[in-house]
Amino acid sequence: MRPPVRLTRDVADHLDALMGIEAPGDDRAVVGVVRGWSQPLIVPVSEVLGGSCWSDVRTGVYVPCGDGAVANYVGSVRRATAALAARLREHFREVPDRRERWTHVALVRLPDRLSTEAVLRCEGRAGRALDPLDNIRLPAVPGRPAWVPRPRAA
């Protein structure tokens, strides 16, 4: 059984390097895990749903976490308007018990001008690094094998 992955500073540094693969030139300056000082900023889901945190996010990879900053899920958004809170609400409508397990969320900022395909590759790269507990699939990443979901997620 694979141990759960915690979103630590070292893991965030690794994610930043992976996201830089998809970000052209000057976009690299705005790409990466949102940090609180040097650690990944992991905020209560209620702050995102209430609009006090990341209410402007249209493009990015989000990581709902549970206790101990364990990555429960990896997803992405790329929409014309604010998207993160709406996407989390969609998840909670689809599977209501996620609301109890997904207590916090981290964000990997991506430039709004990235293509849908690039955003999906970023989601796939982040997912392979974080090996989330609840995903049942992740987008393909060129040159990488298909990701295999954890037994409890299948």
Side-chain angles (χ1 to χ4, degrees), residues 42-63:
I42 303 172
V43 301
V45 167
S46 60
E47 289 184 17
V48 177
L49 296 177
S52 64
C53 190
W54 301 326
S55 61
D56 62 333
V57 173
R58 298 182 303 154
T59 306
V61 172
Y62 59 95
V63 182

Side-chain angles (χ1 to χ4, degrees), residues 62-98:
Y62 59 95
V63 182
C65 298
D67 293 336
V70 170
N72 284 337
Y73 188 85
V74 174
S76 63
V77 291
R78 185 180 182 279
R79 299 184 184 179
T81 60
L84 186 55
R87 184 64 186 116
L88 287 171
R89 284 188 190 94
E90 290 169 8
H91 281 294
F92 298 148
R93 273 193 303 275
E94 293 166 5
V95 183
D97 75 323
R98 286 178 174 163

Side-chain angles (χ1 to χ4, degrees), residues 13-150:
D13 291 345
H14 179 63
L15 287 176
D16 288 349
L18 292 173
M19 298 304 105
I21 294 169
E22 298 295 338
D26 60 344
D27 280 341
R28 287 194 179 132
V30 296
V31 169
V33 175
V34 177
R35 311 266 180 144
W37 197 57
S38 68
Q39 296 293 331
L41 183 61
I42 303 172
V43 301
V45 167
S46 60
E47 289 184 17
V48 177
L49 296 177
S52 64
C53 190
W54 301 326
S55 61
D56 62 333
V57 173
R58 298 182 303 154
T59 306
V61 172
Y62 59 95
V63 182
C65 298
D67 293 336
V70 170
N72 284 337
Y73 188 85
V74 174
S76 63
V77 291
R78 185 180 182 279
R79 299 184 184 179
T81 60
L84 186 55
R87 184 64 186 116
L88 287 171
R89 284 188 190 94
E90 290 169 8
H91 281 294
F92 298 148
R93 273 193 303 275
E94 293 166 5
V95 183
D97 75 323
R98 286 178 174 163
R99 186 69 173 93
E100 293 175 25
R101 293 181 288 112
W102 296 6
T103 58
H104 290 74
V105 65
L107 176 67
V108 179
R109 284 234 184 234
L110 298 173
D112 290 334
R113 65 182 176 202
L114 273 188
S115 69
T116 299
E117 295 78 15
V119 171
L120 289 172
R121 287 189 304 269
C122 287
E123 177 186 345
R125 291 178 197 287
R128 280 161 181 75
L130 292 169
D131 195 22
L133 300 175
D134 294 340
N135 283 71
I136 57 172
R137 66 186 161 279
L138 288 168
V141 175
R144 300 283 305 190
W147 176 77
V148 177
R150 291 170 176 274

